[in-house]
Amino acid sequence: MFDKLDEIKVLRDPIHGYVKIEYKVIWDCLGTKEFQRLRRIKQLGASFMVYHTAEHSRFSHSLGVYELSRQLVFDNQSINDYLSEYEKVCVMLAALLHDLGHGPYSHAFEAIMNTSHEEFTKMIILGNSEINQVLNSYNENLAKDVESIIAKKHKNKVLCQIVSGQLDADRMDYLLRDAYFTGTAYGEFDIARILRTLLVKDNTLCVKESGIHSVEDYIMARYHMYWQVYYHPVARSYEIMMHSLFKCYFNYLSKGNESIFKPFDDFLQGDISLQAHYQMDEATCNYGFKLLAQSSDKVLSDLATRLINRDLFKYSDIKNEHDLIAKRKEITEKGFDDKYYVLHDQANQRPYQPYHGADENFIYILSQDDNLKELSVLSPIVRALLNVEDQNDIKMYYPKS
Ligand code: NI
């Protein structure tokens, strides 16, 4: 049904060895401007301010998620038997395209734009884009089907679970990739074992009980990566300062001042067109910061200069409201505007939360007596983790001098 390339394309990858591309539709998607844009978006946002080698892109992560989904749908016998060729191609496309909507510096940008990367992903796949043209040229239902898998709305639950469930190609790739590129060993787990022991039972993706130890290891990897990498306070400091800079620039424009950098104006004034989204990548952002650094507005210039030179705000824990009030007073007395110079955020993460929300949050294990059981029922380690109190990390950020 789908044309294959005359020769399989083989791309080297430090995580999976090779990324193999056999279908023409996949290769055509790679060549679109929306997919190539992902080269200019870092996978880990501001984490490179902490882990200096964490400069890998959403482009390489997306290829990695594609490759894992390809291995799952072709090399895993149970999944291979369960899916039609059309469904396999849909899953691989969903894996490849799931992060198309990401903005620069990852989630930090979503807070500024007041919209989510999921919405942009949907707009790119279904809207007036090169990606949409490629998908439509193969099958008129393809764009809609791929988007519904990414949005977890496809009627075949297994397709959604492969791309973004609890034990999915997306997370498995980013944990391994982020661990590799940060140089931390926490994110490592036995991916080959998980891929071998996954199977479909009762229209549900699950893991054979013999694979349970590798799943426990994966849950622990997630837990450690969150606290060691994803929620690292130095990266959070960079992101929250960027937020403050944009807030300051927005107020600057609102007062009737002349524009300094048009692409920022468009976004801050709510232009969420595909064209504006395409323009906004990290290269654009960094150039914009340089222009803001030359501004005659003291706060704009100072915050932008700090970001460029990694002169990041210090941080400390907020134990109660009083801490924040005291810090505001102290910083204001030093001559800073506390609106832009005393910031706070909150990070909160549980490694695995099966009983919050729908059963899509479950990891299912196929027990030796051939029944599907939720992971913590069979794993004492995961059960113990569920009882760990919610770790809430509330911090404030302010200048050293
Ligand atoms: Ni992803």
Side-chain angles (χ1 to χ4, degrees):
M1 197 190 315
F2 286 97
D3 290 346
K4 294 193 175 169
L5 295 160
D6 297 336
E7 200 176 45
I8 295 181
K9 303 280 183 189
V10 178
L11 318 178
R12 282 186 195 273
D13 182 85
I15 309 305
H16 308 302
Y18 290 106
V19 174
K20 293 183 186 151
I21 300 175
E22 195 178 0
Y23 285 94
K24 204 168 167 301
V25 61
I26 301 284
W27 188 246
D28 287 352
C29 282
L30 246 67
T32 61
K33 67 174 192 179
E34 293 87 10
F35 194 77
Q36 291 294 321
R37 172 183 169 277
L38 297 177
R39 291 181 187 273
R40 302 187 292 275
I41 307 282
K42 279 193 279 294
Q43 167 71 8
L44 278 182
S47 298
F48 74 112
M49 287 288 161
V50 186
Y51 300 96
H52 65 95
T53 51
E55 302 238 14
H56 55 303
S57 67
R58 294 256 165 212
F59 182 89
S60 59
H61 162 64
S62 298
L63 282 173
V65 181
Y66 155 78
E67 173 58 22
L68 281 182
S69 73
R70 190 195 65 77
Q71 291 181 17
L72 278 170
V73 300
F74 286 109
D75 301 347
N76 179 298
Q77 196 60 48
S78 165
I79 301 173
N80 189 5
D81 293 345
Y82 178 78
L83 300 178
S84 67
E85 187 191 26
Y86 179 78
E87 289 171 322
K88 286 173 190 161
V89 173
C90 279
V91 169
M92 293 190 296
L93 282 166
L96 184 74
L97 305 177
H98 77 286
D99 271 349
L100 275 183
H102 269 281
Y105 299 110
S106 193
H107 300 285
F109 222 76
E110 295 181 12
I112 297 158
M113 295 180 329
N114 243 336
T115 180
S116 69
H117 69 270
E118 286 95 347
E119 284 172 54
F120 276 115
T121 302
K122 181 176 178 177
M123 277 165 64
I124 295 168
I125 293 174
L126 300 179
N128 182 14
S129 65
E130 292 184 11
I131 285 285
N132 183 264
Q133 279 171 24
V134 167
L135 299 177
N136 280 341
S137 72
Y138 285 87
N139 182 309
E140 58 177 15
N141 294 320
L142 194 54
K144 193 170 56 59
D145 285 332
V146 169
E147 198 282 323
S148 73
I149 296 173
I150 295 173
K152 302 191 208 179
K153 289 181 179 148
H154 197 282
K155 56 184 185 309
N156 186 341
K157 210 167 73 177
V158 172
L159 303 182
C160 305
Q161 287 175 318
I162 291 173
V163 179
S164 59
Q166 280 292 318
L167 190 61
D168 56 3
D170 183 22
R171 280 188 226 230
M172 290 196 280
D173 181 79
Y174 76 60
L175 287 173
L176 293 172
R177 193 169 299 275
D178 297 344
Y180 177 88
F181 282 102
T182 51
T184 57
Y186 309 106
E188 284 163 19
F189 56 91
D190 190 351
I191 179 90
R193 182 77 189 150
I194 292 181
L195 294 181
R196 273 185 68 85
T197 51
L198 276 165
L199 79 163
V200 180
K201 163 90 179 168
D202 302 339
N203 300 313
T204 301
L205 193 66
C206 59
V207 182
K208 269 189 234 164
E209 193 167 347
S210 60
I212 201 164
H213 300 293
S214 55
V215 178
E216 289 171 345
D217 210 19
Y218 159 85
I219 297 281
M220 290 308 294
R222 242 161 85 167
Y223 177 74
H224 289 142
M225 282 297 281
Y226 269 92
W227 288 111
Q228 291 292 323
V229 177
Y230 303 134
Y231 289 156
H232 196 291
V234 171
R236 279 156 63 191
S237 176
Y238 183 92
E239 288 177 3
I240 202 167
M241 285 174 70
M242 195 175 83
H243 193 265
S244 192
L245 173 66
F246 279 109
K247 192 164 79 178
C248 182
Y249 183 55
F250 180 78
N251 292 338
Y252 172 89
L253 290 176
S254 306
K255 284 183 211 146
N257 288 304
E258 214 171 297
S259 165
I260 297 174
F261 190 50
K262 178 89 171 38
F264 286 170
D265 306 4
D266 292 346
F267 255 103
L268 293 174
Q269 287 158 356
D271 180 355
I272 51 160
S273 65
L274 284 188
Q275 183 52 28
H277 181 264
Y278 176 75
Q279 282 304 334
M280 195 51 80
D281 57 33
E282 286 167 12
T284 301
C285 261
N286 292 340
Y287 181 61
F289 295 160
K290 287 198 169 169
L291 295 182
L292 295 182
Q294 292 161 23
S295 158
S296 54
D297 183 281
K298 239 182 81 207
V299 178
L300 272 184
S301 158
D302 178 60
L303 287 174
T305 305
R306 285 174 189 266
L307 281 177
I308 294 166
N309 298 332
R310 197 192 180 278
D311 180 10
L312 302 180
F313 288 180
K314 281 205 302 200
Y315 52 85
S316 53
D317 289 335
I318 305 179
K319 301 213 173 50
N320 53 55
E321 187 69 8
H322 191 77
D323 292 345
L324 199 56
I325 295 167
K327 187 55 78 180
R328 284 191 196 290
K329 187 161 174 285
E330 179 196 322
I331 295 293
T332 308
E333 277 166 6
K334 284 187 182 167
F336 291 106
D337 182 344
D338 67 338
K339 196 158 66 254
Y340 304 118
Y341 286 88
V342 183
L343 313 168
H344 59 98
D345 78 349
Q346 181 174 353
N348 173 311
Q349 154 75 9
R350 281 192 152 196
Y352 174 59
Q353 289 186 290
Y355 301 113
H356 290 249
D359 68 349
E360 66 185 41
N361 290 335
F362 284 26
I363 292 178
Y364 283 104
I365 304 294
L366 182 63
S367 64
Q368 277 156 5
D369 58 7
D370 211 30
N371 285 312
L372 287 181
K373 293 190 176 148
E374 188 275 313
L375 172 63
S376 67
V377 174
L378 291 176
S379 161
I381 289 179
V382 173
R383 208 154 52 235
L385 263 180
L386 290 183
N387 294 326
V388 174
E389 246 180 84
D390 239 355
Q391 251 178 297
N392 228 340
D393 183 29
I394 312 175
K395 285 196 166 23
M396 56 186 168
Y397 306 83
Y398 44 85
K400 284 172 237 174
S401 57

